[in-house]
Amino acid sequence: MHNLFLGELRHHCREFWAIDIKDKSSDSKKIPAHSPQEQQVWLETVVKLIKLDDRNSAFKKFAKVRKGYIAAVVELNDVALPSSGFTKRDYIEVLLDWWERSKPKEIQIPPVFDESTRDFHLVHDQHDISRFRILDQATLAQIRADIMATSLPSWIGRVPKNFGSPSHGKLKADQWCTACQVNLLISLVRRWGDSSATPRQKTLLNNFLDLVRAVDLATRRTMDEERAEKFDRYMQSYLTSLTEIFQHNLVPNHHLSLHLYECLILFGPIHAWWAFPFERYNGIIQNLNTNDKTNDMPLTFMRYFYIGANLRWLMSTTTWPDNAPFRAMMDSYKKTFRDAARSDPRLASINAFGEETAPVLPEYSESDAKDLPRDIYDALLSRITDQVGPYFSSVFNLSDRRPGLPDSANNLRRFEHGGVRFGTQNKQKRNSFITFHLPNTGRGETPRAGQIREILLHLRVENGRNVLQPFFVVDEYVPLSDAHAALDPFRKFDNINTWLFHDEFARTPRVLALEDIQAHFAAFVYTPTDIGRKCMVVQSLDRDSACAAATIPVLAMARPPSLGTSLDPNGVVSTS
């Protein structure tokens, strides 16, 4: 974790983009940016002032010229750099001395930028990369605005709204991960990935995305040889372009990352052997009250570690009676563990002996059941038919002799599984953005996306048994047409699992079962210039098949089957 999140992602942001010192720079919002035409005018002004006969008059008029233009002319014409210092006055002195001494036939003028800038400087090579100038104050302000406008599920910690300022203090490893793999990816691809991007911006973006994709692939919940090889290719591409663009010597963390391929092949997913649990326990230990008996502490920690491990094994492998006292006990246990792990929901998805923690379904209330609208009912019947076959008929078709599917259900405000919470667009909007696949369809690279409108708890009788199952009414976002998809800046990059959809819903809602949901997604709305219509950025947060920041575990059922109940592969509770 430290090698990838801190040694790679943080190192890139700090060392090459100087992203933690931006508020200390003199690049103030009060200084207007100069367009390419204005840059040309100011460079020509420098040449005119150099040729003035009155040195004192030239000094006074140079006061209006920014230092960057003067320093660029000094450097391009091989004027001896000032020995006393690098102030603006020092550069003016050496430039005027050079003119009076040599009177060259021509004063070379540096090329202007393709975009507006507040900090003009000399372009040294085709990449034009200079530390402290990559993310200027205007770009950083836009990134901060995007951070505030991006909707993330509640189980992902937000990046500080003043990201890039020393005032927010030290960021944790998972915050650097979210900043780079979610926020910066969305902000930079939409600005540097469209048709208006300059070659310099495209070069920087490709370099950064190689790193982001490598870290993403290495931290997936599943691993195979193909995925490990893909990680290694992206990491090698990142480090190669890093040395070419920044002329940067590799550091030990870069060297170490080139050996992760062998570790992934030998040991599998990185979550099984990374140091995060040790870091987590270090944090817990630091907050414990002790009696300063240092000799007894190791045994005390070890004893309670085993107590906790045995408790988890007991609770996850025992079939408890299905009555109120034992349900209350299980609810208290799960709440306690969830609260202990709330700083990182990934802890909640690590289950004893590979068992999936099942979400707890509430009791069904006949008195609270509400009739379903006809379109929702028809979609529910269709989904259950896909799941169990043509067992039920519609209650509106009186001629069909099959059992009629009940047309009422309880409405839930939220649904929780494995520390991941799903909510509705009216009650918990940030938890309502999901990607999904339809049953009996192939799971291609581009999933469907939508917002949860309602969460239903439905009760039916199937083969003499009561079946209680949650369903999700989802408003689906309209996919881009083929013509617009070709203009999507996110689809140009493989393995970033981010796509544009039109920011409008299809006419007919979908009814999904739990297993249809793939993941939450990070949501951001903007109007791409090339498309000209408001679009929703959909960045999948799935950590198995497609990923960017955190995990939604394989969705299963609410609790271990109790006496008199059974659990089918679709995660439904059946009671006799």
Side-chain angles (χ1 to χ4, degrees), residues 324-538:
F326 283 96
R327 285 197 296 270
M329 176 190 72
M330 288 297 297
D331 290 344
S332 297
Y333 162 73
K334 290 176 180 178
K335 182 180 184 302
T336 300
F337 178 74
R338 182 173 65 246
D339 290 346
R342 66 183 180 273
S343 63
D344 192 330
R346 289 170 290 192
L347 292 179
S349 67
I350 302 173
N351 300 297
F353 305 100
E355 297 284 340
E356 280 294 342
T357 303
V360 177
L361 291 176
E363 297 291 337
Y364 186 82
S365 172
E366 292 283 357
S367 60
D368 293 335
K370 295 183 179 180
D371 293 338
L372 300 175
R374 182 65 183 272
D375 60 337
I376 302 298
Y377 174 76
D378 290 342
L380 175 65
L381 175 60
S382 176
R383 181 63 190 91
I384 292 178
T385 300
D386 288 333
Q387 183 173 300
V388 303
Y391 184 88
F392 294 99
S393 68
S394 169
V395 294
F396 301 102
N397 185 1
L398 300 179
S399 63
D400 197 319
R401 293 181 175 275
R402 292 175 298 169
L405 182 72
D407 62 345
S408 60
N410 290 166
N411 282 92
L412 304 180
R413 297 184 61 183
R414 64 174 182 265
F415 184 83
E416 191 164 335
H417 169 65
V420 179
R421 179 177 297 177
F422 299 95
T424 62
Q425 55 192 227
N426 292 329
K427 299 296 183 181
Q428 293 188 1
K429 184 177 180 180
R430 62 188 300 196
N431 292 321
S432 68
F433 296 98
I434 60 168
T435 58
F436 62 92
H437 291 281
L438 299 181
N440 304 320
T441 59
R443 298 204 167 198
E445 291 186 1
T446 305
R448 297 172 181 265
Q451 256 193 298
I452 299 173
R453 182 199 296 182
E454 293 179 273
I455 303 175
L456 306 177
L457 187 62
H458 185 262
L459 179 65
R460 64 184 185 270
V461 179
E462 187 177 314
N463 294 321
R465 300 175 69 86
N466 292 330
V467 178
L468 186 63
Q469 184 177 4
F471 290 93
F472 302 81
V473 180
V474 175
D475 290 316
E476 182 178 0
Y477 286 104
V478 176
L480 297 185
S481 65
D482 291 341
H484 283 164
L487 301 174
D488 182 352
F490 296 92
R491 298 184 198 222
K492 298 176 183 177
F493 301 98
D494 295 333
N495 298 301
I496 65 171
N497 310 301
T498 308
W499 311 269
L500 287 181
F501 288 73
H502 290 302
D503 186 30
E504 55 189 68
F505 294 133
R507 293 181 179 180
T508 306
R510 301 279 186 182
V511 173
L512 306 178
L514 197 57
E515 63 268 23
D516 301 331
I517 298 177
Q518 181 186 21
H520 279 125
F521 68 82
F524 179 82
V525 178
Y526 82 108
T527 302
T529 304
D530 295 340
I531 296 177
R533 289 174 59 184
K534 187 178 291 186
C535 290
M536 170 69 74
V537 178
V538 173

Side-chain angles (χ1 to χ4, degrees), residues 144-338:
R144 290 170 177 171
D146 290 353
I147 288 173
M148 297 301 295
T150 301
S151 180
L152 296 173
S154 58
W155 45 268
I156 292 183
R158 276 191 170 277
V159 174
K161 63 181 180 180
N162 60 337
F163 176 70
S165 168
S167 60
H168 60 56
K170 180 181 178 181
L171 297 184
K172 297 180 180 179
D174 62 335
Q175 288 179 304
W176 280 111
C177 182
T178 301
C180 293
Q181 293 189 290
V182 179
N183 299 119
L184 287 177
L185 186 149
I186 291 175
S187 291
L188 297 181
V189 170
R190 80 181 188 91
R191 289 180 174 84
W192 295 354
D194 64 11
S195 59
S196 64
T198 65
R200 170 182 182 266
Q201 292 170 336
K202 292 178 180 179
T203 298
L204 289 168
L205 180 61
N206 288 326
N207 172 253
F208 178 66
L209 288 184
D210 280 342
L211 172 60
V212 168
R213 288 180 285 198
V215 173
D216 170 47
L217 289 165
T219 54
R220 298 281 181 92
R221 295 276 169 178
T222 58
M223 186 58 58
D224 55 32
E225 186 172 356
E226 180 183 358
R227 184 167 287 176
E229 289 176 350
K230 193 178 293 185
F231 153 78
D232 199 46
R233 288 198 300 272
Y234 279 125
M235 183 57 70
Q236 289 192 39
S237 175
Y238 164 69
L239 295 178
T240 300
S241 59
L242 194 71
T243 56
E244 293 174 352
I245 296 170
F246 294 95
Q247 290 82 48
H248 180 75
N249 294 325
L250 300 185
V251 298
N253 269 312
H254 293 148
H255 176 83
L256 178 60
S257 64
L258 293 176
H259 289 284
L260 285 181
Y261 167 77
E262 291 86 350
C263 297
L264 293 171
I265 294 296
L266 290 172
F267 307 122
I270 199 170
H271 297 80
W273 45 273
W274 68 357
F276 176 79
F278 301 99
E279 297 292 336
R280 175 64 176 161
Y281 276 112
N282 284 342
I284 294 173
I285 291 171
Q286 289 174 356
N287 294 324
L288 291 178
N289 293 324
T290 67
N291 56 7
D292 296 325
K293 294 183 179 180
T294 54
N295 292 334
D296 297 334
M297 286 183 188
L299 288 177
T300 301
F301 289 137
M302 186 61 69
R303 183 166 59 252
Y304 280 94
F305 174 85
Y306 278 109
I307 290 173
N310 287 332
L311 176 62
R312 292 199 63 197
W313 173 82
L314 177 68
M315 300 300 284
S316 63
T317 59
T318 303
T319 301
W320 301 100
D322 188 20
N323 55 45
F326 283 96
R327 285 197 296 270
M329 176 190 72
M330 288 297 297
D331 290 344
S332 297
Y333 162 73
K334 290 176 180 178
K335 182 180 184 302
T336 300
F337 178 74
R338 182 173 65 246

Side-chain angles (χ1 to χ4, degrees), residues 111-115 121-130 198-204 241 243-247:
V112 300
F113 290 156
D114 295 330
E115 70 272 12
H121 58 281
L122 181 64
V123 177
H124 290 281
D125 55 34
Q126 60 173 331
H127 300 301
D128 178 30
I129 307 301
S130 180
T198 65
R200 170 182 182 266
Q201 292 170 336
K202 292 178 180 179
T203 298
L204 289 168
S241 59
T243 56
E244 293 174 352
I245 296 170
F246 294 95
Q247 290 82 48

